[in-house]
Each structure stands twice: as structure tokens, then as C-alpha cells.
Amino acid sequence: MAIADRIKRKPKANTAPTDFGTQGNPIDRSHPFYFGFVATLGALVAIVLMRALASTSQIFVLIVVALFLATGLNPAVVAIQRRGLSRTNSVAIIFVSVILFTGFFIAVVVPPVLSQGTNLINSAPTLLADLENNATIADLNDQFGIIDTLQAQLKEVTADGSLIISAFGGVIGVGKSVLSGAFSALTILILTLYFITSLPQMVELGVRFAPASRRERLTLLVNAVISRVGSFVGSQIAIAFMAATFVFALSLVLALPSPIAIAMIVLVCGLIPLIGHFIGCSVVTIIALTQSVSIGLIAFLAYVVYVQVENYVVTPRIMKRTLALPGAVTIISALIGSSLLGLIGGLLAVPIAASVILILDEVVFPRADNS
């Protein structure tokens, strides 16, 4: 009974003390110790944030590329929407077209590239021997040993048939490169799909951070920036098609093997700013060298002349017409962007410059004129 009475008995309520003592003086923020502690804590937080951003820099690059591609494909989606289709169906049509083009590119380009690469490796000793017959190159070889070095390196990497394996740092390196490239491509594809589908909602959400009285004008400016990015992508595609057409005609004139595959390679390389034509010129020259040294030299010179005409005549006019961007600004912005952020900087530099000029014309200069 005593135990039952203890269980039924209600516990006594804890009575908290009503007096916690006198409140102390606040911390002296002017004290050197306080300042040093807060400054050190802020520096540590900044270092942690910088390291976190550095460790996730590759993810940010993928996000920026996907957002750029989504913005660039948006005009095509809008054009299909004007025909009465929904945005989802329009995005589906664009993505199916991109996937079909990728499949066609792989089917057309990969087999000739493998065969031509094999032919080039097999004919490389003969090509190097032909170069030694040239008097000028023979003198350079006697002074600097260029041809002898190339022949020694070629024998070393092709002795056991491991040219591609050694180029990628071994079998493990090849596997890492393939998996990393496939993961990056898949990530960009998925992010681009999400971004282009929800681009209007993203713009609307971003504009809502501005005051209500400025949202309409801000929406017009944002849509104009997106339109300029799309115009830049369309201009790059047009320029790449021009380069592919020229290389296709050059391949037919020089009787190069697989002219369609060569043109497709140059088409894709032409979409890459700054270094795209360097890659395309290297590919065309190497394939032409498989025929003879003279054909390789002609192909190289013809491609270089075309690139100069494109860079200084065609591209500035197209950019000025589509982006209202002076030719000098196009070249300077591409150089600055590539020096700061590499390939991504070169890709984003021109549309960013066009957007800055748009904001200056619509916002900054009118305020300066009215002040």
C-alpha cells in the first residue's frame, strides 16, 4: 500500500527561482580582444566559404553552361510556341532534335575518325621521311633535331600499340576521362532541360524581388537580355555552318576522305569560341597530311585564310546586326572573358557585353542625360 500511495502521490512542482541575479555590464566592443576575436572568426568563415566554393566550382561551371544553353535555345522554343504548341511540347521537339543531331554526328564522325587516325599513325613515318627531303626542314632538323625527336617519340608511343592509352595516362586515366565526360554531359543535359522548361517561371520569380513599380520594365529588360543571348547562339550556329560548308568544299577539291565527317567535326568545333577553329584546323590538317605533305600544307593555309576572313569580316558584321555590338567590342570581350575564365569566359563574354550595352543604353545613359 505504501508503494501504491507513492505512485498516486503527485510530484511537487518545481519552483524556479524568481531572482537570477543582477545583469552584468554589456561586452565592451571596443576592447582589442573582442575585435580580434570577431575579426578572426570572420576570416575563418570567409576561408571556409572560399574553400567550399572552390570545391564546388565544377558544379557551378556546369550550372552556368546549362543556363547559357537554355537561354540560347529559348528563341527556338518560343518560335515553335507561336505555332500553337505548348512550351512543354516545344521543349520536347527541340531536345529530340538535339539528340537526333548528336546520334547522327556520332554515327557519321566516329568511324571515319578511327579509320583516319589509324591511317595517320601508319603513315606517320613516311610523312616524317618526306619532310626530311625538304631542304629548309632538313636544315632545321640538323640544327634542332625536330624530325629526329618526332620519330623517336612516334616509335616510343606506337611500339606496343598504346598511343591512345598513353595519351590519356593509362587505362585508369581513359576510364576516368570517359566517366567524367559522360557524367558532365548528362548533368548539363538534365539541367538544361529543367532550365528551359521553367525559364519563364524563373524570370517571374526573380523579377518579384524588385519593387512592384519597376517589375514591368525589369521584365522587359530581362527578356531583352535573354533574347540577345539567343541571338548570340544563333549567330554562332550560322557561323559554324559557314565554316562547315567551306571545309566540305575544300575537302571535295582536295579529294580528302570522308568530307561529310570532316564538315561535321568543323561544325561542332565552330560552336566553341576562340579555340574552336584551332581544333578544326588541326583536324583538317592532320587528315590532309594522310594524303601528302603538300595537300596538308594547302589545307592548312586555306583554313587559316578562311579563319581570318571570318574573324575580321563575317563575325563582326553578324554580331553587329544581331546583337547591335561593335566588332571591336566583340573581339575585346572574347579575349578578356577567355583570359579570366577560360573556355567558359569566352563563351559568355560576348552575350554579357551585349547585355551590358543594353543596360547602359536603357538605364544608365538616360539617367545621365536627364541629370
Side-chain angles (χ1 to χ4, degrees), residues 40-123:
T40 304
L41 184 62
L44 290 176
V45 172
I47 293 173
V48 171
L49 289 177
M50 291 297 295
R51 292 200 174 193
L53 291 175
S55 62
T56 58
S57 60
Q58 295 182 351
I59 303 300
F60 281 109
V61 169
L62 296 180
I63 293 174
V64 171
V65 172
L67 186 59
F68 174 80
L69 293 176
T71 308
L73 293 175
N74 186 65
V77 175
V78 173
I80 297 177
Q81 278 186 277
R82 292 173 182 172
R83 300 181 179 273
L85 295 178
S86 63
R87 185 171 184 87
T88 303
N89 294 332
S90 302
V91 171
I93 292 174
I94 294 297
F95 262 79
V96 169
S97 301
V98 171
I99 293 174
L100 290 177
F101 174 80
T102 304
F104 177 75
F105 176 81
I106 294 174
V108 171
V109 172
V110 172
V113 167
L114 294 178
S115 62
Q116 292 303 314
T118 303
N119 293 335
L120 178 63
I121 294 173
N122 295 332
S123 60

Side-chain angles (χ1 to χ4, degrees), residues 249-330:
L250 180 65
S251 301
L252 292 179
V253 171
L254 299 179
L256 298 182
S258 306
I260 297 178
I262 298 174
M264 293 292 293
I265 294 175
V266 173
L267 174 64
V268 174
C269 292
L271 299 175
I272 305 174
L274 298 178
I275 66 170
H277 279 310
F278 176 78
I279 300 174
C281 182
S282 302
V283 171
V284 173
T285 304
I286 290 173
I287 294 176
L289 283 173
T290 60
Q291 307 303 306
S292 67
V293 176
S294 59
I295 293 179
L297 182 60
I298 293 172
F300 173 77
L301 293 177
Y303 201 108
V304 169
V305 171
Y306 169 79
V307 170
Q308 302 307 312
V309 173
E310 178 187 297
N311 288 339
Y312 296 102
V313 178
V314 178
T315 301
R317 291 186 178 182
I318 292 179
M319 293 302 174
K320 186 176 181 179
R321 180 177 301 177
T322 58
L323 297 178
L325 197 63
V329 176
T330 302

Side-chain angles (χ1 to χ4, degrees), residues 126-135 137-138 147 150 293:
T126 305
L127 293 174
L128 293 176
D130 294 339
L131 290 176
E132 289 182 327
N133 297 329
N134 187 290
I137 297 178
I147 304 299
L150 291 176
V293 176

Side-chain angles (χ1 to χ4, degrees), residues 23 36-37 44 97 148 157-158 203 258 262 323 330 332 350:
Q23 184 177 2
F37 177 78
L44 290 176
S97 301
D148 296 337
V157 299
T158 59
V203 172
S258 306
I262 298 174
L323 297 178
T330 302
I332 293 173
V350 177

